[in-house]
Amino acid sequence: MPRETMTSLPVDCQATLTIDLPAIVDNYRAVRKLAANADAAAMVKADAYGMGIAEVAPALFHEAGCANFFVANLAEAVELRHHTPDACIYVLNGLFAGHEAYFTDHKLRPVINSPEQLALWKANGQGLPCALHFDTGINRLGFSPDETAQLLNHASPLKEVNIALVMSHLACADDKGNSLNKQQLETFRKISATFPGIPASLANSGGILLGPDYHFDMVRPGLLLFGGNPSLNAPLPADIHPVFTISGRILQVREVREGMGVGYGSTWNAPHRSRIAIVNVGYADGYLQVFNNVGHLYLAGREVPVVGRVSMDMLAIDITGPGFSTVSEGDEIELLGQHITLEKASELSNLSQYEILTGVRERYHRVYIPVK
Ligand SMILES: *Cc1c(COP(=O)(O)O)cnc(C)c1O
């Protein structure tokens, strides 16, 4: 349903996703401080990690001075061009034959991942800028080591190509101790040194936390902008904050006797007489069954456990105990946000922070806190 038609409905008839644009702008500024000698692009693929590219990208462009954006594919890029007419937009998936005119018409920059794509852009790119992507160990996209050697030994393929950026991507940036980080760093140092004067970029959010050696000329944060912790071994930097809240409502409060089951499959049975609250968020909202019997929500100043299986449209929590005695139908409850952070929800469920974030569904009533 278009968001406009929802505004005439009572706001409490569904769960709410509140997205704090000033917090995203602040996180971007915090990243600029963490990588003080580098520029910072914003990764806004997958609808800005589910937070809404139409709102997030203009806020970063106008309020934070972010000039460079990366999306995954051409469709995302054309949409982003509409929202940020003056930004530099890079397309990570690269260039397919037959798509060149879309890139040139919309002034999009392909991230060139192979010799074939390079030839296509050379022939049809009208001298417009592109990025070159070198695979230094993740074995995903980009010039392979052999193709890289070939390219660097024969400079002619690079003639008449307008290269605005050389980049690579880390495989294990979330794990500071992984030796692949240093290997990729050394490999990328050598490659980027053969492009003097052309900006180089290696670090995603995790790479930013690996330290200044990894920052080069431009960092490419995604998760950090949205308040996630990209490191398995480092705490979240103090000035990175959650940027969104999912708040549901309690539909019903009920008493269950000792031994009774709650929800499909009766996977949780009351250890004693219990008070159960039913919340209006389920897996169809993106609150997945990985949270069955392990999720925590936040209510009345404390964490409260999910009991039983998450249903399509609702879930159950155990609110037994004096701390919850005043809880009643209609009360608001946090599913994710300031208290149940991405990092915490990921620890509880073993689902990655990225999947929790990008899994947030359109079904919520969306509210954007404006920058001004
Ligand atoms: C998604 C992506 C990023 C951003 O990663 P985060 O971990 O979210 O910061 C950076 N670079 C490339 C090539 C990506 O695909």
Side-chain angles (χ1 to χ4, degrees):
M1 197 186 300
R3 285 174 204 159
E4 294 73 22
T5 56
M6 311 268 241
T7 57
S8 57
L9 295 169
V11 294
D12 58 355
C13 70
Q14 61 188 145
T16 301
L17 167 63
T18 305
I19 295 164
D20 186 344
L21 295 173
I24 297 175
V25 167
D26 284 349
N27 284 349
Y28 177 84
R29 292 188 176 129
V31 166
R32 292 297 298 263
K33 281 198 195 133
L34 286 168
N37 295 319
D39 192 4
M43 309 309 288
V44 290
K45 58 201 185 192
D47 197 29
Y49 288 46
M51 296 294 101
I53 197 170
E55 290 81 7
V56 169
L60 287 171
F61 182 82
H62 293 292
E63 304 303 327
C66 175
N68 295 284
F69 293 84
F70 286 78
V71 292
N73 62 46
L74 178 59
E76 293 178 345
V78 170
E79 190 196 344
L80 178 56
R81 174 54 76 220
H82 177 75
H83 301 304
T84 56
D86 301 318
C88 284
I89 301 174
Y90 289 96
V91 182
L92 289 163
N93 284 4
L95 184 65
F96 289 89
H99 292 184
E100 301 91 334
Y102 294 93
F103 281 83
T104 53
D105 287 354
H106 295 281
K107 303 271 182 287
L108 306 173
R109 300 181 173 191
V111 174
I112 299 293
N113 290 314
S114 69
E116 293 75 21
Q117 293 183 10
L118 184 62
L120 275 180
W121 193 243
K122 198 167 168 177
N124 304 300
Q126 302 174 3
L128 292 168
C130 66
L132 287 187
H133 189 185
F134 298 97
D135 181 30
T136 54
I138 191 170
N139 285 304
R140 211 173 61 167
L141 293 180
F143 282 70
S144 69
D146 284 350
E147 290 167 343
T148 302
Q150 182 80 9
L151 184 76
L152 301 186
N153 289 334
H154 304 84
S156 61
L158 293 170
K159 281 215 186 94
E160 298 152 47
V161 186
N162 182 350
I163 301 163
L165 184 73
V166 293
M167 60 178 274
S168 187
H169 191 50
L170 296 165
C172 304
D174 57 345
D175 182 10
K176 209 174 179 113
N178 196 304
S179 60
L180 188 54
N181 291 321
K182 278 240 164 61
Q183 285 174 37
Q184 288 195 266
L185 175 63
E186 289 314 318
T187 307
F188 187 62
R189 270 199 180 130
K190 286 186 195 129
I191 294 170
S192 59
T194 65
F195 295 89
I198 295 178
S201 175
L202 177 63
N204 62 343
S205 295
I208 291 166
L209 300 192
L210 292 178
D213 282 354
Y214 289 81
H215 295 169
F216 290 85
D217 303 299
M218 180 196 281
V219 293
R220 305 189 308 269
L223 191 65
L224 272 176
L225 301 180
F226 303 105
N229 184 355
S231 175
L232 297 170
N233 9 61
L236 188 65
D239 46 1
I240 299 288
H241 298 290
V243 303
F244 74 101
T245 303
I246 292 174
S247 36
R249 275 186 188 267
I250 292 174
L251 299 172
Q252 215 175 23
V253 175
R254 58 200 312 114
E255 302 261 329
V256 298
R257 291 197 305 275
E258 180 182 339
M260 290 184 85
V262 170
Y264 286 122
S266 259
T267 62
W268 183 86
N269 294 85
H272 41 67
R273 193 176 177 82
S274 302
R275 246 174 122 225
I276 300 297
I278 308 301
V279 177
N280 66 340
V281 173
Y283 59 76
D285 300 284
Y287 198 87
L288 303 181
Q289 291 200 330
V290 289
F291 291 106
N292 290 355
N293 287 309
V294 298
H296 281 191
L297 278 58
Y298 192 84
L299 177 70
R302 71 201 75 204
E303 288 182 25
V304 47
V306 171
V307 293
R309 282 190 197 151
V310 175
S311 297
M312 186 183 292
D313 314 306
M314 64 194 101
L315 55 82
I317 51 174
D318 180 3
I319 55 164
T320 310
F324 299 111
S325 57
T326 61
V327 170
S328 62
E329 286 167 23
D331 283 4
E332 254 192 79
I333 179 165
E334 174 188 316
L335 286 102
L336 284 168
Q338 295 290 333
H339 305 95
I340 312 296
T341 61
L342 283 170
E343 194 174 6
K344 163 138 206 125
S346 172
E347 278 163 13
L348 292 169
S349 66
N350 283 321
L351 196 62
S352 77
Q353 295 170 65
Y354 296 87
E355 287 172 272
I356 295 171
L357 183 59
T358 58
V360 170
R361 293 268 91 88
E362 273 296 317
R363 195 186 196 194
Y364 297 108
H365 171 63
R366 280 194 181 214
V367 176
Y368 284 92
I369 300 175
V371 182
K372 273 188 255 176

